[in-house]
Amino acid sequence: MTTSAADHATILLRTAEAVLHFTGEPSSTALAEQLVRRIDAADEAVITAFLRHLLERFGPDEARLKAAVDAWQATPNAETAQALGDAAEASRQELFRVMNTAPGGIGCLLSLRTAAVQRRADHPELRPVERDLEHLLRSWFNRGFLELRRLDWETPAHILEKLIEYEAVHEISGWHDLRRRLEEDRRSFGFFHPSLPGEPIIFVEVALTSGMSRSIQNVLAPRDPAMTSVPDTAIFYSITNCQTGLRGISFGNFLIKQVTALLRAELPELETFATLSPIPGFGRWLADAEPAIDTSDQAAMERACARYLCVERRHGRPLDPVARFHLRNGARVERINWKGDTSAKGMAESHGLLVNYRYSGQDLEANHEALENDGVVIAAPEIIALLDDPGSVAAEPPPAG
Amino acid sequence: MTTSAADHATILLRTAEAVLHFTGEPSSTALAEQLVRRIDAADEAVITAFLRHLLERFGPDEARLKAAVDAWQATPNAETAQALGDAAEASRQELFRVMNTAPGGIGCLLSLRTAAVQRRADHPELRPVERDLEHLLRSWFNRGFLELRRLDWETPAHILEKLIEYEAVHEISGWHDLRRRLEEDRRSFGFFHPSLPGEPIIFVEVALTSGMSRSIQNVLAPRDPAMTSVPDTAIFYSITNCQTGLRGISFGNFLIKQVTALLRAELPELETFATLSPIPGFGRWLADAEPAIDTSDQAAMERACARYLCVERRHGRPLDPVARFHLRNGARVERINWKGDTSAKGMAESHGLLVNYRYSGQDLEANHEALENDGVVIAAPEIIALLDDPGSVAAEPPPAG
Amino acid sequence: MTTSAADHATILLRTAEAVLHFTGEPSSTALAEQLVRRIDAADEAVITAFLRHLLERFGPDEARLKAAVDAWQATPNAETAQALGDAAEASRQELFRVMNTAPGGIGCLLSLRTAAVQRRADHPELRPVERDLEHLLRSWFNRGFLELRRLDWETPAHILEKLIEYEAVHEISGWHDLRRRLEEDRRSFGFFHPSLPGEPIIFVEVALTSGMSRSIQNVLAPRDPAMTSVPDTAIFYSITNCQTGLRGISFGNFLIKQVTALLRAELPELETFATLSPIPGFGRWLADAEPAIDTSDQAAMERACARYLCVERRHGRPLDPVARFHLRNGARVERINWKGDTSAKGMAESHGLLVNYRYSGQDLEANHEALENDGVVIAAPEIIALLDDPGSVAAEPPPAG
Amino acid sequence: MTTSAADHATILLRTAEAVLHFTGEPSSTALAEQLVRRIDAADEAVITAFLRHLLERFGPDEARLKAAVDAWQATPNAETAQALGDAAEASRQELFRVMNTAPGGIGCLLSLRTAAVQRRADHPELRPVERDLEHLLRSWFNRGFLELRRLDWETPAHILEKLIEYEAVHEISGWHDLRRRLEEDRRSFGFFHPSLPGEPIIFVEVALTSGMSRSIQNVLAPRDPAMTSVPDTAIFYSITNCQTGLRGISFGNFLIKQVTALLRAELPELETFATLSPIPGFGRWLADAEPAIDTSDQAAMERACARYLCVERRHGRPLDPVARFHLRNGARVERINWKGDTSAKGMAESHGLLVNYRYSGQDLEANHEALENDGVVIAAPEIIALLDDPGSVAAEPPPAG
């Protein structure tokens, strides 16, 4: 006789209740270990039911919360506000903290968050559970706890294998392809958490080149042994967030900043730091905005792309998610590259166009402020020249004041 | 011209405001680094003033909190409760999280909490700041993130030096004394946090002996090279919490549990796990309770001590803090040792008496439950025989039911 | 204008002379670095010419040697014999020792020996140089200096890549194949030298199986997830010497011995330790010895193979090099496996036959002595039953006496 | 009944014979382990007897040696010379190589050499054994196999303890003194062998100072926290060879060279590299050479010292062993320091005088050549001015040619 998903979920519920009941006592860790093992072994239906239990059975204590609200309303001060915050905390938060004391606990919590993220559309009611997990994970994966590691051919294979698995921008076709990305004229770095030493959180791939690369085909081509020129440019050509369980928690800006600093120290001859980036929303936007455009007309396509990247906005910010990320970091739109990515994915996504965003140390702050405060996107003059109406685009940030 | 403490604290305040203003932006980390450096360099008066700024200027947003209270009262559900919790969170919590991204950030936050703890008596108003720091540190120093390390003569000197500095139970008089405590018939283990690799959080010292040690003098005496008997007992003779900044966050029970498991695996011949513990409150209690007792009367003193350890309570729990800790862990009172610690400290504190608490794997749970649920202290029959009225003391936990 | 190989070799010669001239002086290391770099960059013709210089210009000092011979003949004692040994040492030995002080020196010396080994047939006159290198390397790669490392999926990729490159018995077809060989039911171990941390000296591959494997196809097949039986047998199915520069220096017996001890400690449930070994000389021998045999006649082929493995000898030792290695280690011939290796290589080499040699801890010594002292090969009764004339083959070693 | 030393030594002899008998066979390592353990446990008398066995029973095979001599005399060529060298090798060399395969083998061989060195005076007949050990150890402790490690306060305590134990120039009075020598304005480095990870081979202590230190009292004084000037000078104030078993094998010049390179890279602001060195032979020499000198006459003493250091020679080299070492390395005599070492040892040895030898990168080679080829000691003009007859002393090396 098989136990149904509901029964399974009830076992998880009872174990979770026991964990909380014995918090701080000798048996709580053993119970937490049991809970973690059971969650790890549960199937999708059980997880859905358990997430619902977490929502319904592990909220805040309502009476205590009501009392705290009353107390704060009677005497609103630092202490009653703090007590109110404590009372409003769902008891699942404490459950999660105890689960973390078990071996594999952190991985289990990441899995639960992943499950909750994947159920956003079908089970929007689970959102509070997901947000509690996010809150906790955001705190625990604080940048201060992450370790930056260089990834190269001396990295253990089980970690390199993850790069192949996770790479989201330009697929790694196998170990041969991976090895090329880790040769002497390439760099890769990732953030790792001490409790998950074999799991990259995010990683970046960098090409050291002479001049700013125009196409991903060149970046991924076999190394030319005849090429002996000293690189003057670092091209960030791929950034991949690895953990769905950390969705919404931003690591990329820290990573770019720290890798840039490292490369500057190691290779003082580097003059330019730029990306070679996809434009994931361009194709879809173009189909709507200019359905009749001749997609083989290079000039027209570049104009359309410049407009999409710099002018089109939502809430004042660039429409394209990758543009948004780099421009908010203070980069500028530097160059649009025709046939930058001729892979099927690149053609489908953005008709083969790629864009360079340039990170110029001394300008990052001012560029960022221009966008955030004034809604001004900073772009190279060549880009601006492509725009019919460069109203909210400038080659330099407005003077502070 | 020197800047006054108030001016200094204002600089800290402005820096902290800037950190929060730029959260998530390129410049926030640089600002956080500045803040950390400035706090580290500040004197006591500046810290006091800055803690007050943290209290007054970095609370929750009152309007937002009021709106969240209203929303929850109108529609009390998981989402409004969660929003209420978010709104009640003081903004200093976010400040602390950003500070942690700076090098040395975690150490700075521990220092701030230490400063707040030290001001409990003189500045009780700072308690909400202290509690926010405690909340965060409790989450970050979750047992799941700590690493258990053996400490021995191959441990780096800068860590061993800390053992000498921190040891709180039986002072380590120097490197010679330390080395004896790390010889082959001794063990020491500590918990460490990955972000503070050179700082023990807590450590324990263990003697491997034949039979249960009766005196700390014997434990600390030079090793007898003639002694070749195989040890059958592990004596935990010192447990030291090292970080004032983590006051109130319990690590000792985890440490004892894990060290016991390690020693069992390494040395299967060990039969008995027990402590040789101080009785820090006995002297003071005795002066009140039996001021006329002849302190050289061994039998009378042991009777008084048994009563103090087992019978005297506050809120149903043992009066003595060390007794409370071990008995709540499920240990039992095993033996009272006359002249167990003849040092000046030992005589002053407890007239030289020490006590063995015994950790017996299979009984810990039941002993713990007996104390927590029924208020029954578990003690060896020899201890019970010393009591006039052993009402709430038993040799075995009552049968479950 | 290009410099000829002879000129290049002369430059090497002059540098080598300078190295020796300045031995022990500040500049010798810099000169040795130069020499190493130049040798590493030299082509095959230059190396040949340089090896000849090493032979002709870096021998012993003849006058000194003659004087030492005279002295020993006049007064043959420990001191004159030692002085004679010193005088007979070719000066290239000292050159090699100084070369080792340069970065990459040990690798350069391995390359020189490799070059000399490869020239054995065409340049037998270089043999004294090769033997001097062998003498030195044998001393430096003394087993006491080697480190045994487990090789698994957490091993750095640049080392795993070498396994793929070096594997000499059953080719590793790529990373997928390699990964299978490193799964939980497999083990791999290698010896490494501290000065060559990325270079395996020798490695072994082991399958943990239920019962003694009969075919390499099964060993290399994808793991059967349904297979949950606890393994009782360790099958050493591949042993590869990686360094031509260490040709003739034996590591395999040490490796088998130590890996066996490690596996026994890790997996006490293992009962049988055996190999699944190729029979590299069988095909060639069979073509000579029984040219008319029907190679599809399983019984006839097994009889022929048993005879080849056990009865055929050179200098009293088994003809087959792999048999010789394992039998001298004290293993016994346990089973001949029809269709044990159906790969092209396996069919060509030994008509697909493989053999299990069994390592039985308590018998190794006696088996070894039986072979070495009495010329008796130890084999399982089933093997002996295949022999027409088992004169020098026995199921057990003769009683000592 | 106790076994006599002779019987004990006979057991060692028999074990050693068995080791050699089974070389390369399964049992040789087990026998070597036994031998090593027995030697480690043997007392001085047994060791003396065993060394004699090594001399008498483990020489070369005389018949083989005689045949090899005959063959070489008949046909003197590379092969017969090599065979002669092989035949002249004492069989104890092979014994030592097999001993090294046992755990602790290398340590045991160092102990044997130490024992032989200590018996030089009383047992000169053991010299061939000692020289065989030296030959082997010199090859195994080749600079290319040694690892340079920084020694600081993060070094494991069991290694730091060895610094205290071994320091031979300026005694380390305890952990407090040691710690001062490892502070931020001090450096220490040592060579280690991979097979003896806890044993320094040699170590050097360096002070980073403003200007060239004149006295060891200043170097060892507590750090002046007010001193904030950036150091421009590295003073090597102590170099200690740690292993008597490596007596006669030179590591110091390599260590100075490599540490100088490391410090230059870490601290580009360093301009001067010099020693503050003892003059161990000065006192004894002075008593002979100028018995009537007034040892409180600073000027007379400095003149005498300059003469002793620069003019007095044996075989053309400086008389003083420390002077000989540094001057052969290419340093120059820079300054004589009155009251440089006022400790009892310093006063007894050299009436408190210390000397700075200066290492000037570009001059080392030429200075070295001047001494070795022309017998010219290089010294500062101030030193030369102290000499009555500076015949073989110069401020600069003679021009090459």
Short mmCIF file of all heavy atoms in Angstrom, two decimals, chain C residues 321-336:
data_model
loop_
_atom_site.label_atom_id
_atom_site.label_comp_id
_atom_site.label_asym_id
_atom_site.label_seq_id
_atom_site.Cartn_x
_atom_site.Cartn_y
_atom_site.Cartn_z
N PRO C 321 54.31 -10.42 -19.51
CA PRO C 321 54.82 -9.40 -18.58
C PRO C 321 53.84 -9.08 -17.45
O PRO C 321 54.26 -8.83 -16.32
CB PRO C 321 55.06 -8.17 -19.48
CG PRO C 321 54.22 -8.41 -20.69
CD PRO C 321 54.14 -9.89 -20.88
N VAL C 322 52.55 -9.08 -17.76
CA VAL C 322 51.57 -8.77 -16.70
C VAL C 322 51.50 -9.93 -15.72
O VAL C 322 51.43 -9.74 -14.50
CB VAL C 322 50.19 -8.45 -17.32
CG1 VAL C 322 49.14 -8.29 -16.24
CG2 VAL C 322 50.28 -7.19 -18.17
N ALA C 323 51.50 -11.14 -16.24
CA ALA C 323 51.53 -12.31 -15.35
C ALA C 323 52.76 -12.26 -14.45
O ALA C 323 52.68 -12.48 -13.24
CB ALA C 323 51.54 -13.59 -16.19
N ARG C 324 53.89 -11.95 -15.08
CA ARG C 324 55.14 -11.88 -14.32
C ARG C 324 55.01 -10.89 -13.16
O ARG C 324 55.38 -11.19 -12.03
CB ARG C 324 56.26 -11.45 -15.27
CG ARG C 324 57.63 -11.82 -14.81
CD ARG C 324 58.60 -11.88 -15.99
NE ARG C 324 58.67 -10.62 -16.72
CZ ARG C 324 58.53 -10.51 -18.06
NH1 ARG C 324 58.30 -11.59 -18.80
NH2 ARG C 324 58.62 -9.34 -18.64
N PHE C 325 54.46 -9.73 -13.46
CA PHE C 325 54.32 -8.69 -12.43
C PHE C 325 53.45 -9.18 -11.26
O PHE C 325 53.85 -9.11 -10.09
CB PHE C 325 53.70 -7.43 -13.06
CG PHE C 325 53.31 -6.38 -12.07
CD1 PHE C 325 54.27 -5.61 -11.45
CD2 PHE C 325 51.97 -6.17 -11.75
CE1 PHE C 325 53.91 -4.63 -10.52
CE2 PHE C 325 51.61 -5.20 -10.83
CZ PHE C 325 52.58 -4.44 -10.21
N HIS C 326 52.27 -9.70 -11.57
CA HIS C 326 51.36 -10.06 -10.48
C HIS C 326 51.82 -11.31 -9.74
O HIS C 326 51.70 -11.40 -8.52
CB HIS C 326 49.94 -10.26 -11.03
CG HIS C 326 49.30 -8.98 -11.47
ND1 HIS C 326 49.06 -7.94 -10.61
CD2 HIS C 326 48.85 -8.56 -12.69
CE1 HIS C 326 48.49 -6.93 -11.27
NE2 HIS C 326 48.35 -7.28 -12.53
N LEU C 327 52.36 -12.27 -10.47
CA LEU C 327 52.79 -13.50 -9.80
C LEU C 327 54.00 -13.23 -8.92
O LEU C 327 54.12 -13.77 -7.81
CB LEU C 327 53.07 -14.58 -10.84
CG LEU C 327 51.81 -14.99 -11.65
CD1 LEU C 327 52.15 -16.04 -12.70
CD2 LEU C 327 50.70 -15.50 -10.72
N ARG C 328 54.88 -12.37 -9.37
CA ARG C 328 56.02 -12.01 -8.51
C ARG C 328 55.55 -11.23 -7.28
O ARG C 328 56.21 -11.24 -6.24
CB ARG C 328 57.05 -11.19 -9.28
CG ARG C 328 57.74 -12.04 -10.36
CD ARG C 328 58.92 -11.30 -10.92
NE ARG C 328 59.96 -11.15 -9.91
CZ ARG C 328 60.93 -10.26 -9.96
NH1 ARG C 328 61.00 -9.43 -10.99
NH2 ARG C 328 61.83 -10.18 -9.01
N ASN C 329 54.42 -10.56 -7.40
CA ASN C 329 53.86 -9.88 -6.22
C ASN C 329 53.22 -10.87 -5.25
O ASN C 329 52.79 -10.48 -4.16
CB ASN C 329 52.78 -8.87 -6.64
CG ASN C 329 53.36 -7.61 -7.24
OD1 ASN C 329 54.55 -7.34 -7.08
ND2 ASN C 329 52.53 -6.85 -7.93
N GLY C 330 53.06 -12.12 -5.67
CA GLY C 330 52.48 -13.12 -4.79
C GLY C 330 51.02 -13.44 -5.10
O GLY C 330 50.38 -14.18 -4.35
N ALA C 331 50.48 -12.87 -6.18
CA ALA C 331 49.10 -13.21 -6.56
C ALA C 331 49.06 -14.61 -7.15
O ALA C 331 50.10 -15.21 -7.44
CB ALA C 331 48.59 -12.19 -7.58
N ARG C 332 47.85 -15.17 -7.31
CA ARG C 332 47.77 -16.45 -8.00
C ARG C 332 46.86 -16.32 -9.21
O ARG C 332 45.97 -15.45 -9.27
CB ARG C 332 47.32 -17.58 -7.07
CG ARG C 332 45.83 -17.66 -6.81
CD ARG C 332 45.51 -18.97 -6.05
NE ARG C 332 44.06 -19.16 -5.99
CZ ARG C 332 43.48 -20.22 -5.45
NH1 ARG C 332 44.21 -21.19 -4.91
NH2 ARG C 332 42.16 -20.33 -5.41
N VAL C 333 47.07 -17.19 -10.21
CA VAL C 333 46.23 -17.20 -11.40
C VAL C 333 44.88 -17.79 -11.00
O VAL C 333 44.82 -18.95 -10.56
CB VAL C 333 46.86 -18.04 -12.53
CG1 VAL C 333 46.02 -17.93 -13.79
CG2 VAL C 333 48.29 -17.57 -12.79
N GLU C 334 43.81 -17.02 -11.11
CA GLU C 334 42.56 -17.46 -10.51
C GLU C 334 41.54 -17.95 -11.53
O GLU C 334 40.88 -18.96 -11.34
CB GLU C 334 41.94 -16.28 -9.73
CG GLU C 334 40.78 -16.66 -8.83
CD GLU C 334 41.23 -17.49 -7.62
OE1 GLU C 334 42.44 -17.51 -7.34
OE2 GLU C 334 40.37 -18.13 -7.01
N ARG C 335 41.42 -17.22 -12.66
CA ARG C 335 40.37 -17.59 -13.61
C ARG C 335 40.70 -16.97 -14.95
O ARG C 335 41.20 -15.85 -15.03
CB ARG C 335 39.02 -17.06 -13.13
CG ARG C 335 37.84 -17.66 -13.86
CD ARG C 335 36.52 -17.25 -13.20
NE ARG C 335 36.31 -15.82 -13.31
CZ ARG C 335 35.39 -15.16 -12.60
NH1 ARG C 335 34.63 -15.79 -11.72
NH2 ARG C 335 35.28 -13.86 -12.77
N ILE C 336 40.41 -17.71 -16.03
CA ILE C 336 40.55 -17.19 -17.38
C ILE C 336 39.16 -16.87 -17.90
O ILE C 336 38.23 -17.68 -17.73
CB ILE C 336 41.28 -18.22 -18.28
CG1 ILE C 336 42.75 -18.33 -17.83
CG2 ILE C 336 41.18 -17.83 -19.74
CD1 ILE C 336 43.49 -19.48 -18.45
#
